[in-house]
Amino acid sequence: MELTAVTDLPEVRPGDDLAELVTDRAVLEPGDVLTVASTVVSKAEGRTADLEEFPVSGRAKELAERIGAAAGEQKDPRFAQAVLEESTELLIECPFMLTETRFGHICVNAGIDRSNVPEHDLLLLPRKPAESAERIRAGLADRGHEDVAVIVTDTCGRPFRHGQRGVALGWAGMSASRDWRGEPDRDGRELGVTVQSVVDELASAANLVTGEGAGGTPAVVVSDWEFGELEGSDELFRDVEDDLVRQALRNWRFDP
């Protein structure tokens, strides 16, 4: 497998065609996977915002005060309001806000970014990353690059471990996972629980190439990689009924 960063991309602005920007700078072959950071997808879709656009509710003021007290510093209630408006559920209120986004992703602060956003305060996640991936994939096909899968990526933390890693928010042209259940191991024992999250693994691998901070390389082409013959699934985000961690968090409260 080979991963190649798409270099020399300009600062992405609202209305920019990401498929065009990539095809002008990258070699794409059938079967390749294009990973695109959610930051540039959001910028192209005009998902920037300023704090003054979020009038503060009593709930946001309370959250900012609690989080600020826990951290020993003042927190902006307008940011808390933005997080609330971008979320469907608040799983942890303090010492940070762990939320469910409107498309089912669990992350801190609804994935709102405050870095690399020239001329604005905030960068919100794409509204529907799966649809964003479909549009980019269709744009590639319109330019003669058919059979190229697309993954919209982001980085987030993990329970029980330090640090962040790449994850998939939306994808098109491939399944999210490979289901190994029913397959034998080397001793002939049947696997019973293993479902491999392929889109997350590719997103994480791409993040090694794109890096963080000021790298300016938000797109990666994954070449010479095959999904294999195993059955695939598009299930990635757990339902509430199937998520024991989320159920436990609903009964937990942090008091600074």
Side-chain angles (χ1 to χ4, degrees), residues 57-204:
S57 64
R59 176 74 165 135
K61 183 178 179 181
E62 175 195 356
L63 287 169
E65 289 175 350
R66 288 188 65 206
I67 296 170
E73 60 185 52
Q74 188 173 2
K75 296 294 183 180
D76 194 327
R78 297 173 298 175
F79 182 78
Q81 184 65 41
V83 172
L84 289 175
E85 293 186 19
E86 287 295 305
S87 307
T88 59
E89 184 176 2
L90 192 59
L91 302 176
I92 294 178
E93 298 181 358
C94 189
F96 56 85
M97 289 181 284
L98 183 69
T99 72
E100 179 181 356
T101 68
R102 299 190 181 280
F103 56 89
H105 179 48
I106 305 293
C107 58
V108 175
N109 293 336
I112 297 176
D113 203 345
R114 304 186 75 166
S115 59
N116 294 318
V117 194
E119 303 175 3
H120 293 281
D121 297 326
L122 308 174
L123 185 65
L124 314 178
L125 288 179
R127 293 185 187 277
K128 298 180 178 180
E131 293 183 7
S132 302
E134 288 283 3
R135 282 194 294 271
I136 296 171
R137 185 169 188 261
L140 297 177
D142 290 342
R143 290 163 177 79
H145 299 290
E146 298 181 356
D147 194 27
V148 174
V150 175
I151 302 175
V152 176
T153 71
D154 196 14
T155 55
C156 67
R158 305 160 295 167
F160 317 118
R161 293 176 181 265
H162 290 292
Q164 290 75 39
R165 50 82 175 94
V167 295
L169 301 184
W171 57 94
M174 64 181 296
S175 298
S177 63
R178 287 191 289 201
D179 192 345
W180 292 85
R181 292 173 295 182
E183 295 294 318
D185 67 7
R186 290 185 298 174
D187 298 318
R189 296 187 183 91
E190 185 176 295
L191 299 176
V193 297
T194 303
V195 178
Q196 182 183 10
S197 180
V198 175
V199 288
D200 278 341
E201 291 181 326
L202 291 177
S204 188

Side-chain angles (χ1 to χ4, degrees), residues 47-65:
R47 292 283 285 159
T48 53
D50 293 312
L51 288 168
E52 63 186 21
E53 300 175 33
F54 298 95
V56 177
S57 64
R59 176 74 165 135
K61 183 178 179 181
E62 175 195 356
L63 287 169
E65 289 175 350

